[in-house]
Coordinates of all heavy atoms in Angstrom, one line a residue:
F26 N 175.0 79.9 101.9 CA 175.4 81.3 101.7 C 176.9 81.5 101.5 O 177.3 82.2 100.6 CB 174.9 82.1 102.9 CG 175.2 83.6 102.9 CD1 174.6 84.4 102.0 CD2 176.2 84.1 103.7 CE1 174.9 85.8 101.9 CE2 176.5 85.4 103.7 CZ 175.9 86.3 102.8
I27 N 177.6 80.8 102.4 CA 179.1 81.0 102.3 C 179.6 80.4 101.0 O 180.5 80.9 100.3 CB 179.8 80.3 103.5 CG1 179.5 81.1 104.7 CG2 181.3 80.2 103.3 CD1 179.9 80.5 106.1
G28 N 179.1 79.2 100.5 CA 179.5 78.6 99.3 C 179.1 79.5 98.1 O 180.0 79.7 97.2
F29 N 178.0 80.1 98.1 CA 177.6 81.1 97.1 C 178.5 82.3 97.0 O 179.0 82.7 95.9 CB 176.1 81.5 97.3 CG 175.6 82.4 96.2 CD1 175.2 81.8 95.0 CD2 175.4 83.7 96.4 CE1 174.7 82.6 94.0 CE2 174.8 84.5 95.4 CZ 174.5 83.9 94.2
C30 N 178.9 82.8 98.2 CA 179.7 84.0 98.2 C 181.2 83.6 97.7 O 181.8 84.4 97.0 CB 179.8 84.6 99.6 SG 178.3 85.4 100.1
V31 N 181.6 82.5 98.1 CA 183.0 82.0 97.7 C 183.0 81.8 96.2 O 184.0 82.3 95.5 CB 183.4 80.8 98.5 CG1 184.6 80.1 97.9 CG2 183.7 81.1 99.9
L32 N 182.0 81.1 95.6 CA 182.0 80.9 94.2 C 182.0 82.2 93.4 O 182.7 82.4 92.4 CB 180.9 80.0 93.8 CG 181.0 78.5 94.2 CD1 179.7 77.7 93.8 CD2 182.2 77.9 93.6
L33 N 181.1 83.1 93.8 CA 181.1 84.4 93.1 C 182.3 85.2 93.4 O 182.7 86.0 92.5 CB 179.8 85.2 93.5 CG 178.5 84.6 93.0 CD1 177.3 85.5 93.4 CD2 178.6 84.5 91.5
G34 N 182.9 85.1 94.5 CA 184.2 85.8 94.8 C 185.3 85.4 93.9 O 186.1 86.2 93.5
F35 N 185.4 84.1 93.6 CA 186.4 83.6 92.7 C 186.2 84.1 91.3 O 187.1 84.4 90.6 CB 186.5 82.1 92.7 CG 187.1 81.5 93.9 CD1 186.6 80.3 94.5 CD2 188.2 82.1 94.5 CE1 187.2 79.8 95.6 CE2 188.8 81.6 95.7 CZ 188.3 80.4 96.2
A36 N 184.9 84.3 90.9 CA 184.6 84.8 89.6 C 185.1 86.2 89.4 O 185.5 86.7 88.4 CB 183.1 84.7 89.3
K37 N 185.1 87.0 90.5 CA 185.5 88.4 90.5 C 187.0 88.5 90.3 O 187.5 89.5 89.9 CB 185.0 89.2 91.7 CG 183.5 89.4 91.7 CD 183.1 90.5 92.7 CE 183.6 90.3 94.1 NZ 183.0 91.2 95.0
L38 N 187.8 87.5 90.8 CA 189.2 87.5 90.7 C 189.7 87.2 89.3 O 190.9 87.3 89.0 CB 189.8 86.6 91.7 CG 189.6 86.9 93.1 CD1 190.1 85.8 94.0 CD2 190.2 88.3 93.5
K39 N 188.8 86.8 88.4 CA 189.2 86.3 87.1 C 189.8 87.5 86.3 O 189.2 88.6 86.3 CB 188.0 85.8 86.4 CG 188.2 85.3 85.0 CD 186.9 84.7 84.5 CE 187.0 84.6 83.0 NZ 185.7 84.1 82.4
K40 N 190.9 87.3 85.6 CA 191.5 88.4 84.8 C 190.6 88.7 83.6 O 190.2 87.8 82.9 CB 192.9 88.0 84.4 CG 193.6 89.1 83.7 CD 195.0 88.8 83.4 CE 195.7 90.0 82.8 NZ 197.1 89.8 82.7
T41 N 190.3 89.9 83.4 CA 189.4 90.3 82.3 C 190.2 90.4 81.0 O 191.4 90.7 81.0 CB 188.7 91.6 82.5 OG1 189.7 92.6 82.7 CG2 187.8 91.6 83.7
A42 N 189.6 90.0 79.9 CA 190.3 90.0 78.6 C 189.7 91.1 77.8 O 189.2 90.9 76.7 CB 190.1 88.6 77.9
G43 N 189.9 92.3 78.2 CA 189.5 93.5 77.4 C 188.0 93.6 77.3 O 187.5 94.0 76.3
G44 N 187.2 93.3 78.3 CA 185.8 93.5 78.3 C 185.0 92.3 77.9 O 183.8 92.3 77.7
N45 N 185.7 91.1 77.6 CA 184.9 89.9 77.1 C 184.6 89.0 78.2 O 184.1 87.9 77.9 CB 185.8 89.2 76.0 CG 185.9 90.1 74.8 OD1 185.0 90.9 74.5 ND2 187.1 90.0 74.1

Side-chain angles (χ1 to χ4, degrees):
F26 179 71
I27 291 170
F29 185 73
C30 289
V31 167
L32 288 177
L33 287 183
F35 285 142
K37 289 196 309 188
L38 295 175
K39 181 178 164 184
K40 186 172 183 172
T41 58
N45 296 327

